[in-house]
Amino acid sequence: MFKSFMLIATGRSIYSTYFLLVLMVVAPAAVFTEYLWLDSLAWLMLIIIGVFVAITGLVTLKDGLQSAQWPRVEARVKNCSLTWRTNRGTKSYAPKISCQFSVKGQEFTGTQFDFSASYTSKDKAQALLDSVSSQRTLVIHYKPSDPAINVIHPGVCFVHYVRIIVGVVAVVVAVLSWLGIITY
């Protein structure tokens, strides 16, 4: 039961997607209608999202701290490319890496350079991509309990702390708003 909850809370379950889809309907409906029960449901769902974001931050922070001690295995580079996206006028870049490795006879695909989601500097992201793509084999650090969670460059990133802070702030603001202490 706890494992299922953690999969949902960290966004590794289809039920996380279902929850977000329901929230995408409930939140606007709560804003544009006068139903108090719908407002309460929206605030409750936002509290749950805040808790999930904070949990994700804590879990990834723990993984980041432990990742340098995880077992290592050689992986074969399959594909490397640079992806980008724009958010509020700011471009962010991410090295898209695909490599294959085996743990106890089971094949896994590695996709993360580090635990950061992206980089604002194209040059930095390209340099990381070039360093990986120039190697035929590289070393992957994998989580012993779940090798599907793996990373080329272990360690903690700023994004872990941002997730924790955003999650806690979302919970506090939603609770204060639901209680009527913050009004809009």
Side-chain angles (χ1 to χ4, degrees):
M1 171 103 169
F2 181 74
K3 186 175 181 178
S4 296
F5 171 77
M6 290 304 288
L7 289 173
I8 293 168
T10 57
R12 296 179 181 146
S13 168
I14 188 69
Y15 297 111
S16 306
T17 305
Y18 295 156
F19 184 84
L20 289 174
L21 289 173
V22 171
L23 179 62
M24 288 171 54
V25 172
V26 170
V31 169
F32 295 111
T33 65
E34 297 295 323
Y35 298 112
L36 291 179
W37 67 269
L38 199 54
D39 290 345
S40 295
L41 180 60
W43 289 124
L44 177 63
M45 292 181 81
L46 287 173
I47 291 167
I48 292 169
I49 286 289
V51 169
F52 285 1
V53 170
I55 287 172
T56 300
L58 291 170
V59 167
T60 58
L61 176 64
K62 180 183 169 201
D63 285 349
L65 290 168
Q66 295 175 343
S67 62
Q69 309 308 317
W70 287 350
R72 298 176 198 115
V73 66
E74 282 192 4
R76 296 173 308 283
V77 178
K78 294 181 77 172
N79 190 331
C80 291
S81 61
L82 189 63
T83 61
W84 63 273
R85 65 185 171 134
T86 304
N87 185 11
R88 296 183 184 157
T90 303
K91 266 189 177 178
S92 60
Y93 301 88
K96 186 175 180 181
I97 300 164
S98 177
C99 53
Q100 204 73 26
F101 65 98
S102 178
V103 176
K104 297 180 184 172
Q106 187 175 356
E107 289 289 318
F108 291 93
T109 301
T111 58
Q112 294 190 111
F113 179 79
D114 58 21
F115 286 113
S116 174
S118 61
Y119 304 91
T120 54
S121 166
K122 182 179 182 179
D123 293 336
K124 182 175 181 177
Q126 187 65 51
L128 293 173
L129 187 64
D130 292 343
S131 73
V132 170
S133 62
S134 66
Q135 303 175 36
R136 291 198 184 275
T137 62
L138 48 106
V139 176
I140 297 287
H141 297 254
Y142 66 90
K143 187 173 185 175
S145 61
D146 185 3
I149 299 172
N150 53 76
V151 66
I152 296 168
H153 185 262
V156 175
C157 296
F158 182 67
V159 72
H160 306 302
Y161 300 107
V162 171
R163 287 177 182 149
I164 294 167
I165 292 167
V166 167
V168 169
V169 168
V171 169
V172 170
V173 169
V175 167
L176 294 176
S177 297
W178 193 6
L179 295 174
I181 296 170
I182 298 175
T183 57
Y184 302 92

